[in-house]
Amino acid sequence: MAGFSLRCGDCGALLRSVEEAQEHAKMTSHASFSESTEAVLNLVCVSCGKPCRSKTETDLHTKRTGHADFVDKTLEAAKPIELEAPKMEVAASEENAAVTASERAQSEDMMIAEVDKKLLEELESMGFPTARATRALHYSGNNDLEAAINWIADHEEDPDIDQMPLVSINSNTEASKPSLTPEEVKMKAQELRERARKKKDEEDKRMEREREKERIRVGKELLAAKKMEEENERKQLIELRKAEKEEEKRAREKIRQRLEEDKAERRRKLGLPPEDPVAAKPTPPPVDEKKSALPIKPVTKVERMRDSLRFLKQNHKEDDAKVKRAFQTLLTYVGNVAKNPNEEKFRKIRLNNPTFQDRVGSFHGGVEFLEICGFEKQEDGEFLFLPRDKVDMAVLNSAGSELNSAITNPFFGVL
């Protein structure tokens, strides 16, 4: 298969072209490259179009910009690399630079600067063009390989970076200083590689710290959301239990009242005098005296409304959906009258209307609830009619409250 990239044998990096391999070698002093069939990744940001060539680059881009969507265009951009053309171009550029420098030297009495041959060969073996290596050695002192490499890195953007350095023929040139020994060159190269490795390790550690911070932040947000959800569920459960207790309390009070009524009825049938509450309870608390007082009319109607709705639900508990629909229909009738008390059409209901019969009339307790609200049967029982002068807004509001409780409370009518 054709090669789509060059792989660095020292660090494993994938490079798209020979130029990138030379640049990589210049920055890291890595010199071992091999052709690979694996294409360099081309992940394009959907939001801004920035290309990224690795997962690390996409993570950095997401951290800096917040963009998280990328399109993989690796296969679209993958092309076989050219191994010969760049070399030819480099050779041609070096030849042109040498010819230009020679022409300039002849026309201006200038000569190409002399540099240390061994250092020049070492730079060329690293992949640097001859003109660039010569210029770097000349301007960096011509005595240190690392200084020359640093000079190239600092002057990459110079327009004349690939032109041979010229000096005057009449100027006094200093003797070339002794070059580094092969052992020193290896030590320098090893030092450069070690620096590049440390820099890469530091970058990886920094990225890992950033990812760990992000994981901690997301974890905290999830924990806060979970706590909020649990708190909402707890509040709902408390409200539900409170509603259950209220319903149980009303049911117990109703049973107590019925027991008192049955007890009084039995004493009456046996010819016994009514039980003296003072004798039965020598020291009744003030609360019992208040409870013994007769309730006012709206409270009595509220109890009758509640009993009517409870009776309706208990007698039709096998079809909860229809019971709830009946409650909602009664709430609509009551609400229309409360909102429009002067409209007669809302205060008059035909009993034999199919819709009314299906929703309310067929349920025991439905018509009785409307009668408690003030509706009266007229025209031989054909209509339910609420006279305008008998519209009591307090009664209608109480009816709406009881219907809302019956619809929303899942334990309504259970006891």
Side-chain angles (χ1 to χ4, degrees), residues 13 28 36 49 116 133 201 210 242 316 318 352 409:
T28 63
S36 174
D116 189 287
D201 292 343
E210 293 293 333
K242 184 177 179 181
H316 302 279
E318 70 281 354
N352 59 2
N409 185 3

Side-chain angles (χ1 to χ4, degrees), residues 24 27 77 89 114 133 165 167 174 179 188 216 223 226 244 257 259 261 268 289 337 384 393 399 415:
H24 182 74
M27 298 300 295
E89 292 176 1
E114 294 185 0
V167 296
E174 297 181 356
S179 61
K188 287 287 185 182
I216 293 173
L223 184 60
K226 184 177 179 181
E244 291 178 16
Q257 291 179 0
L259 291 175
E261 292 174 359
R268 186 184 62 79
E289 293 179 1
V337 176
L384 278 176
M393 298 304 294
L415 298 176

